[in-house]
Amino acid sequence: MFRPSENAYELDSPTIMPKASGFLWNDKMMIHVNCRGYVVAQFMQPEPAKYSHAPNLEAKTFMQPEQPYYAHHPGRFVYVKDEEKGEIFSAPYEPVRVLPDHYRFYLGKDYISWTVIKNDVQIDMRLRLPKEGALELWRIKVKNLSNKTRKLSVYPYFTVGYMSWMNQSGEYNQTLQAIICSSITPYQKYTDYDKVKHYRDKTFLLAEQEPFAWEVNQETFEGEGGITSPTALEADALSKGDARYETPVSALQYKLTMKPEEEREFRFIFGPANNEEEITHVRQQYFGQKQDNEADGFMDAEQDFARYIAEGKGCLHIKTPDHDFDHFINQWLPRQMYYHGITNRLSTDPQTRNYLQDNMGMSYIKPKIARDAFLTALSQQKENGAMPDGVILHKDAELKYINQVPHTDHCVWLPICLHAYLDETNDYAILNERVPFAGANNDATVLEHMNLAMRWLINDRDERGLNYINQGDWCDPMNMVGYKGKGVSGWLTTASAYAFRIWADICEIVDQQDMATTFRLEAKKSNETINKYLWDGNWYARGITDDNVVFGISKDVEGRIFLNSQGWALLSGAANEEQKNKLLQAVTDQLESPYGVEMLGPPFTAMREDVGRVTQKHPGSAENGAVYNHAAIFYIYALYEVGETDNAYRLLRKMIPGPDIDDVVQRGQLPVFIPNYYRGAYKEIPRTAGRSSHLFNTGTVSWVYRCLIDGLFGVKGVTEGLQIKPQLPTDWDKASIVREFRGATLHIEVIRDNNVGQTEVYLNEERVKDNIIRDIEKETTYHIQVKIP
Amino acid sequence: MFRPSENAYELDSPTIMPKASGFLWNDKMMIHVNCRGYVVAQFMQPEPAKYSHAPNLEAKTFMQPEQPYYAHHPGRFVYVKDEEKGEIFSAPYEPVRVLPDHYRFYLGKDYISWTVIKNDVQIDMRLRLPKEGALELWRIKVKNLSNKTRKLSVYPYFTVGYMSWMNQSGEYNQTLQAIICSSITPYQKYTDYDKVKHYRDKTFLLAEQEPFAWEVNQETFEGEGGITSPTALEADALSKGDARYETPVSALQYKLTMKPEEEREFRFIFGPANNEEEITHVRQQYFGQKQDNEADGFMDAEQDFARYIAEGKGCLHIKTPDHDFDHFINQWLPRQMYYHGITNRLSTDPQTRNYLQDNMGMSYIKPKIARDAFLTALSQQKENGAMPDGVILHKDAELKYINQVPHTDHCVWLPICLHAYLDETNDYAILNERVPFAGANNDATVLEHMNLAMRWLINDRDERGLNYINQGDWCDPMNMVGYKGKGVSGWLTTASAYAFRIWADICEIVDQQDMATTFRLEAKKSNETINKYLWDGNWYARGITDDNVVFGISKDVEGRIFLNSQGWALLSGAANEEQKNKLLQAVTDQLESPYGVEMLGPPFTAMREDVGRVTQKHPGSAENGAVYNHAAIFYIYALYEVGETDNAYRLLRKMIPGPDIDDVVQRGQLPVFIPNYYRGAYKEIPRTAGRSSHLFNTGTVSWVYRCLIDGLFGVKGVTEGLQIKPQLPTDWDKASIVREFRGATLHIEVIRDNNVGQTEVYLNEERVKDNIIRDIEKETTYHIQVKIP
């Protein structure tokens, strides 16, 4: 049904998981491809824009969780007609929905493809992107598998959709061998014209080989037969129609007479352009330079893209008793982490917390990028230490959407994310870099910036010492706890305590003892405050509202327990042993589901006006009690920190679909990325629990990687070198790890040995002191044996 | 194929004009119903909102011209399954698209209905609205036309669509016998919560009769069969499923065993609600009060609605040699005019020019409403005489969209529209009403307000005496002629001259001779200025840009001639006899098409940056050279003013689809309303020329009525009474007119008589002096004979 292969993941049915999908990206675009042929593609100009549209005027907004597909959803399809029998099917499955005799959906790391066979005709569709530019590179192969000559018409059908109410049209351009659809983005204020005129409002489908016929008019193509059985296919040839203020489509016809076993390949380029010259240039660049037997621009671009994606390979390669886990960790996790770090989620103003955490992940792939990002973020810090809600990455960007709402947690992420970077690189020199402030002429060292950020957290507290939440903390939609200026966040107070601890550790390393002492004291005071006001007897409360109501406590019927308050109390050190055991039990009893640990429970079913928008989300969706993976991974990280090894791995494993079929089918997503959530409300709405949001933008992934490094495999950097401290689940008796670290390669074999009482590390068969591999040299390979009890 | 019947218009095919449609409305909602079952419904809360949504997140914007329909477009359908044979069809035609044996689409004035017969099963669907409230009242009848017992399942299928990414769900409520779908409108700023919480975010389908089964989950209903062949219909019963953060649908199943000729009727109510109590109340109100043989709330509401619509009946009933014309004028034109006047296009901030002209139309239906509207508009005038871009009608309304862009024409419409009101009512007392100013404490009489408006027009001119255009005049998208502060509008200068003339006439009537002299002089000066700067030799230019470039002239390759500049030069008196003849010829040669007169020509095919957004619209669409009926009717009005009788009627007739089939089919719209445009570019893109925009919001209709009153039938009010001055086209030899006027009813028989040299009017067989019927008494019927040469 579905399985990992060497460098891909495969699905054998278009119907069992109709939303199963993969995604490709480059610096300029992202494309989300569904197993049935539906596609959502966005490119930057500078804000996300589309070149293949819905059939109506869509709202421009962020990607929607669990986005439903519909008949006229944008997609890339190939209709195939048997000219002799008149039979029609379409690849990959939509829009005709004839079940093929064979179907396979391949998710490669740098390509997405299908192989579909119906009545001895095989269609292969393969999509890659170029490394640069917003373009889709398509190869479509047709093969006659039968032992007789077949007459076929093959119709690539790429949707263009409702481009604009102001102006939309399309026609075939003979010279360019391209369907070119034109539009003008609607606007009303003349001041917008200067922006709009540079938009790439054209959509083109460029064909390497001249088509027999074409259709650019969607209505004409469909006729009364509709998209499932287009009237235009009844004719010998498409009508070569155009679209004049009509919805355009890119449909081409190739009429083929194919001998037994004959195969033909067609190549296409689909994407946006500002003008015809640009399309001419694309044609020349991709199809124009082919020498005999040499790669042309198209092939070069495919290879460049493969290399680009391969750069996102991480610093860990594992082999464990759980092969599906290995496949995901080795193949897919670094890819997703790289996507976040290299594109910043294709946003021009990423939320500060996302920007920092996504770049925490880049510490494991391209630390230089992480370094630059930390400096960029700090350069937008205010002189009073406050971090902005979003980090502006493009000169034309404005803070939008959620970044216009004030959140109070952004400073917390600075030491936490920097910590991972420093562990990985030992680059303490970054602390001496001078960085400016936002809207000011002066600058300061990173160390000073960090101190200011910590000071800001200390100052933004009420008389009890609890951090104000304003209109939200990490939980964006918790917007009404403190909007009157009094409400506080228990989680944020705990997270601040953890941040102070981490920062104190760093200060100590760079010989800033006074600061270390100061912040360690602040951490201690914070923990005391938390215990004084927020310990509810068996777990920690989430906060206190503007009206001084403590919430997330046992007497609450909904939102009784919040996950974040528990895990971070372990990280901050607030919870003593008794509290730890109680809260672990409470989480297991009240929040754990087969699909992971839920973010809160029970989910809210009605607006709680002193908590806010989070309570209005559908029960079990997103922050209202989903298995919100970002929250879940914080908790798992905390479990590793306190040595809850089995507990941690059990929950970590639930973050990845599978391995058993029922689990994957229920989630509806292949294990090629971690989604931002799986539906929760397992106790209340079991029918839908576990479903993936199918959103692959999530702060989760860098933390999963950090859990592997710092926790599960225990191969974390320290100033002296690499500290080895595996926390394998008790049912694993071994694991092999290849760790790339500060330029060296370490092969680490971990074996469970009943004869040891504690972890023993051997390098060249010599026991290693403190289990820290010291004096690691670049471009050197080390072989390390580890015995664990 | 299609034909008018007594009180309806009928269409016999669902495929010949797939966009043919009608609309119903009340104060709270508007519903646009397509012949195939697709529906767009909007209700006010206070801004337009939807309860039956697209399958994706739609942009919230004004209605789009020529809006394409698509497979999952919102609609109201009935699937019918023959339980014995398993055959399926759907009424009215979508989504299954099985051609029925018989199909009829009825557009009534207060209902829209279908009769569909397939395999001896007849389905009648009939929609009405209540007079108050946003609700759809549906009757669905099923009849077995065969001579044997039939087993059928009938499934009303009302789309709900993608309600909200934040929260959407739905379930069947046994007590209420209703499917109730719930959602929360997405928002991010807590300050929006107070608005959002009052939104009617639920959508319900209430059934009078208990269904056998139901389905609320759209994906479950459709299955792999899709909307054209839903998998759920294969089962004996729908699965009684719910939607939990899934796209909901309202599908009910009635299982019927029907004897020969047996008929069953089902009634449903569909609409939005804020909460369950509201739906409970609807059930009680509409279905709860039925006594034996007495009307229940549902029937009462239907009758109330019929009475409400019947109030929009106008003051003219005609019988001419052109019966199709009569049908439209008697049945449909006043209805459309009433819709505009009573709803203000369901806008909370109508554009000032629309508000005034729509209420000009109300002068002929409910003059009191027109009076109040003029006072409301003037109360938002600034002390310097400037009129705002939009008139705020709701306390929560804000000026939005186009009303944030400054336009300079709004003052012009005051005397022009008031003129029609005064002619109709003789209510010169309105001029003495005291009205406040916007943002000021003082007030002034209407007369003084009007003078200020005229003064504003005089002052907002350049040194040549031409009116600044700023970012647009009547032509909204002509936004870049004068945005730098220098460009001027020739049309607006001409229109101002006409406004001054009209206002001088009114001043004279109320014995304000000085003012009359002043404004008459201003009109004269304006006309001289126009002739000096804008006469191009054969027609008038449209304006002069910021860079002092005259445009709309013979040397322009695109936008060579603009219609408005010509007609208004006739109205203002700028054009002398020679100029008149030249410009009439130019319009005929360059702008007339089989579908009416185009607004400009040739249409622009590329942005002209010193003219603006109008040049970016698709050639032949909207203001870029469509038969833009609002502009066309100005021209026709001018033709009547200068006695171009045949010319005027020929163009007026082209405004109404038909009567021949090819014409109606090409326009794609039934003659039940006048759309804002028919596609132009007749010379350049003949394939699409004539197509209706299907938008029934247009300032055109009140002017059409005024053309009938002032021009074609010449039955205009003057201070002394009713002036009779018909301008019948020369191929009409008679016409009968019933004119309601100032409380009296006048039956007017016009006959062409070769023996008369000029129009002669007879009352009680006595020749009437000046052809003015004087001393008209209320509640009196007059019989008048008119002889025309």
Side-chain angles (χ1 to χ4, degrees), chain A residues 36 57 59 64 71-72 93 165 167 187 189-190 193 224 242 246 404 483 609 616 687 691, chain B residues 36 57 59 64 71-72 93 165 167 187 189-190 193 224 242 246 404 483 609 616 679 687 691:
Chain A
R36 293 154 77 103
L57 208 57
Q64 307 308 310
H72 277 97
Y93 176 64
W165 63 260
N167 194 333
Y187 68 101
K189 296 183 179 167
Y190 80 88
Y193 170 66
E224 289 299 328
D242 56 9
E246 296 163 304
Q404 294 172 2
Y483 73 101
E609 295 192 349
Q616 291 187 286
R687 176 171 69 80
R691 284 192 190 169
Chain B
R36 294 156 75 105
L57 208 57
Q64 307 308 309
H72 277 97
Y93 175 64
W165 63 259
N167 194 332
Y187 67 100
K189 296 183 179 167
Y190 80 88
Y193 170 65
E224 289 298 327
D242 57 9
E246 295 163 305
Q404 294 173 1
Y483 73 100
E609 295 192 349
Q616 292 187 287
R679 203 78 87 82
R687 176 171 70 79
R691 283 191 189 168

Side-chain angles (χ1 to χ4, degrees), chain A residues 383-447:
Chain A
E383 283 182 287
N384 71 352
M387 290 296 287
D389 273 278
V391 178
I392 297 280
L393 298 182
H394 189 285
K395 66 178 172 50
D396 294 334
E398 291 169 4
L399 289 186
K400 51 199 158 306
Y401 304 127
I402 198 66
N403 288 341
Q404 294 172 2
V405 177
H407 295 78
T408 47
D409 65 314
H410 297 294
C411 287
V412 153
W413 307 101
L414 287 169
I416 295 173
C417 296
L418 191 63
H419 183 204
Y421 170 78
L422 293 171
D423 282 352
E424 193 63 17
T425 61
N426 217 25
D427 173 27
Y428 285 85
I430 192 176
L431 298 175
N432 300 321
E433 292 281 352
R434 297 200 74 84
V435 176
F437 290 95
N441 291 322
N442 57 334
D443 61 12
T445 64
V446 167
L447 187 95

Side-chain angles (χ1 to χ4, degrees), chain A residues 584-767:
Chain A
L584 290 177
Q585 193 60 48
V587 168
T588 302
D589 293 347
Q590 299 184 53
L591 297 177
E592 191 167 339
S593 86
Y595 309 103
V597 60
E598 296 169 352
M599 183 171 144
L600 63 84
F604 295 94
T605 59
M607 175 61 156
R608 182 167 163 180
E609 295 192 349
D610 62 349
V611 173
R613 204 161 60 85
V614 60
T615 68
Q616 291 187 286
K617 296 202 172 190
H618 191 276
S621 78
E623 292 94 336
N624 188 12
V627 175
Y628 202 82
N629 285 318
H630 199 192
I633 198 68
F634 290 153
Y635 183 70
I636 293 164
Y637 187 78
L639 292 178
Y640 278 120
E641 285 288 293
V642 299
E644 284 288 320
T645 297
D646 280 339
N647 214 347
Y649 186 75
R650 188 182 71 253
L651 294 179
L652 181 63
R653 188 62 184 83
K654 288 182 178 182
M655 202 166 270
I656 304 162
D660 65 283
I661 291 188
D662 289 348
D663 182 86
V664 179
V665 169
Q666 177 65 15
R667 297 186 198 242
Q669 184 211 299
L670 297 172
V672 295
F673 60 85
I674 294 174
N676 79 324
Y677 75 72
Y678 299 107
R679 204 79 87 82
Y682 177 68
K683 296 190 179 102
E684 296 81 5
I685 317 175
R687 176 171 69 80
T688 57
R691 284 192 190 169
S692 166
S693 70
H694 299 276
L695 295 183
F696 44 79
N697 283 347
T698 171
T700 308
V701 286
S702 58
W703 281 97
V704 174
Y705 218 77
R706 196 170 174 182
C707 281
L708 304 178
I709 298 281
D710 294 5
L712 177 57
F713 298 108
V715 286
K716 185 171 97 123
V718 292
T719 46
E720 308 97 307
L722 190 79
Q723 185 181 54
I724 299 191
K725 199 173 150 189
Q727 296 193 53
L728 302 192
T730 46
D731 59 354
W732 285 6
D733 55 6
K734 61 179 178 179
S736 301
I737 303 140
V738 181
R739 171 75 158 104
E740 305 287 339
F741 182 70
R742 299 184 190 169
T745 304
L746 297 92
H747 292 261
I748 303 164
E749 296 293 334
V750 184
I751 288 183
R752 196 173 297 284
D753 186 334
N754 292 331
N755 301 321
V756 302
Q758 55 182 26
T759 299
E760 297 176 358
V761 177
Y762 297 85
L763 174 59
N764 303 329
E765 304 195 359
E766 275 185 40
R767 180 80 183 270

Side-chain angles (χ1 to χ4, degrees), chain B residues 270-286:
Chain B
F270 188 61
N274 180 264
N275 54 46
E276 242 174 72
E277 292 65 47
E278 204 181 319
I279 305 168
T280 307
H281 180 74
V282 167
R283 168 147 220 114
Q284 286 162 353
Q285 184 184 349
Y286 287 88

Side-chain angles (χ1 to χ4, degrees), chain A residues 131-142:
Chain A
K131 184 185 164 190
E132 271 150 23
L135 292 174
E136 302 175 16
L137 309 179
W138 284 91
R139 289 173 184 265
I140 295 176
K141 271 195 238 178
V142 185

